[in-house]
Amino acid sequence: MPRAAKLCDESRDGPMDEDRHGGALHGRRKGKKLRPRQAGLMADLLPRLALDLETPAPERPASLFPGAAVRALWLEIGIGGGEHLVACAGSNPDIGLIGCEPFVNGMAKAVSAIDATGLANIRLHHGDAREVLDWLPDAALQKVLLLYPDPWPKRRHWKRRFVCRGNLDRLARVLRPGGELLVASDIESYVAWTLAYVRDHPSFAWTARRADDWRRPFADWPGTRYEAKAIREGRVPTYLHFRRTDAAPETG
C-alpha cells in the first residue's frame, strides 16, 4: 500500500468531529513591529486591495479586478508573505487571485511585494478565509490553494485545523465542478488527516494514481519559503491534488 494511503487508513480514528467549531483557525495575529514603509502600505494600499465583505459579492467575480482581463478566479488560503501569490499572479495575468492572511506581518510583506510589482490581478482579505468562502457566490472559483497550513499538532488544537467537513462543504459550494483543491504539507499527520476527511466527502476526489503524483510539486510550482524551510530541515513535502466532482455536499 502506498505510504500516503496507509497513513490515511491509520488516521481513521484520528480526526474528531471538529466541524462544529466556529472559533479562530489561527493564533496570535501580530509579531514584530512593522517598518515605516510597511505600515504606510498597510494604511494606504491594503484598503484599495481588500475585498469589501460588507457589500454583496458580484455575480461576475472577474469584476473584482477592473485593471485586468480575468477569465477565472483562484483563492489562496494563508498566503504567508505573499511569495507564492505574487508569483502566480505574475505568471497568470488572466487569472484573478484572492489571498487570505490573518497575520499582520505576513500581510505587510505581501502588500509590499504587490506594490513593487504593480500587479492588478490580486485582491486581499486580511482575516479568516471562511469569511471569503461564505461571501463568494456559488461556483465562483476554479482553484483553491491551501499551502503548508499550520498543522496544530496538539490534539486540543485540532479544532483549529482548516481541513474539516464544514470547510470542505464551503469549498464544494464555491468551487465549480471540475475545479481544483491543492493542498501541500510537510507534516505526515496533517497529510493523513486531510486525506481522511477529503476521501469521505462526496464532492471531492483525490486524483493521484501513482506515488509521484503526491511526491512531485504541482505544475508551474514556484515554491514557498515554508517549503524551502521544510526541505532544509529534512522534512518531505507532500502535494495533494483533489478535483471537485459533480456530487453536491450532503445537508443535514
Side-chain angles (χ1 to χ4, degrees):
M1 178 183 293
R3 178 61 175 160
K6 184 173 185 291
L7 281 169
C8 180
D9 284 341
E10 289 173 350
S11 72
R12 294 297 298 172
D13 297 328
M16 300 180 296
D17 181 15
E18 302 292 357
D19 305 331
R20 61 186 180 275
H21 73 71
L25 300 178
H26 46 80
R28 63 190 181 93
R29 293 190 56 161
K30 189 173 182 179
K32 61 183 179 180
K33 184 178 179 180
L34 299 181
R35 295 190 292 271
R37 179 175 179 274
Q38 289 179 322
L41 290 171
M42 289 288 284
D44 299 331
L45 180 57
L46 179 58
R48 301 201 299 271
L49 296 174
L51 299 175
D52 183 3
L53 304 190
E54 298 301 317
T55 62
E59 294 184 6
R60 293 181 58 258
S63 65
L64 294 170
F65 308 89
V70 166
R71 64 172 179 81
L73 188 62
W74 297 358
L75 172 70
E76 185 173 339
I77 297 172
I79 62 174
E83 300 92 345
H84 180 270
L85 182 79
V86 169
C88 281
S91 58
N92 297 276
D94 59 342
I95 299 295
L97 288 106
I98 297 174
C100 301
E101 178 57 55
F103 298 103
V104 173
N105 297 87
M107 183 60 76
K109 290 179 181 178
V111 172
S112 296
I114 295 167
D115 179 61
T117 58
L119 291 167
N121 57 330
I122 295 178
R123 299 296 299 272
L124 299 172
H125 177 60
H126 183 29
D128 193 324
R130 293 174 299 180
E131 297 166 346
V132 175
L133 293 173
D134 291 342
W135 177 75
L136 286 168
D138 293 354
L141 301 176
Q142 182 188 62
K143 184 182 293 187
V144 174
L145 303 109
L146 179 65
L147 308 178
Y148 297 93
D150 194 323
W152 296 108
K154 295 180 180 179
R155 187 180 181 89
R156 69 176 183 272
H157 292 154
W158 284 0
K159 61 182 178 292
R160 293 185 173 184
R161 290 179 170 179
F162 183 83
V163 175
C164 67
R165 177 58 191 250
N167 286 337
L168 290 174
D169 286 347
R170 286 182 168 95
L171 293 173
R173 184 186 68 80
V174 298
L175 269 171
R176 64 180 64 168
E180 300 170 276
L181 169 61
L182 306 184
V183 182
S185 178
D186 59 305
I187 305 300
E188 259 190 1
S189 61
Y190 198 90
V191 171
W193 170 285
T194 300
L195 287 170
Y197 266 111
V198 178
R199 185 173 68 177
D200 287 345
H201 198 285
S203 297
F204 292 96
W206 188 24
T207 65
R209 295 294 179 266
R210 57 188 66 84
D212 279 350
D213 291 339
W214 66 80
R215 290 175 178 165
R216 292 179 177 175
F218 307 121
D220 302 319
W221 177 246
T224 77
R225 60 191 171 106
Y226 298 106
E227 177 183 66
K229 179 182 178 183
I231 293 171
R232 285 197 308 269
E233 296 177 355
R235 295 188 298 277
V236 179
T238 298
Y239 307 91
L240 304 176
H241 184 185
F242 303 103
R243 186 77 64 183
R244 169 70 165 87
T245 68
D246 290 329
E250 299 172 2
T251 57

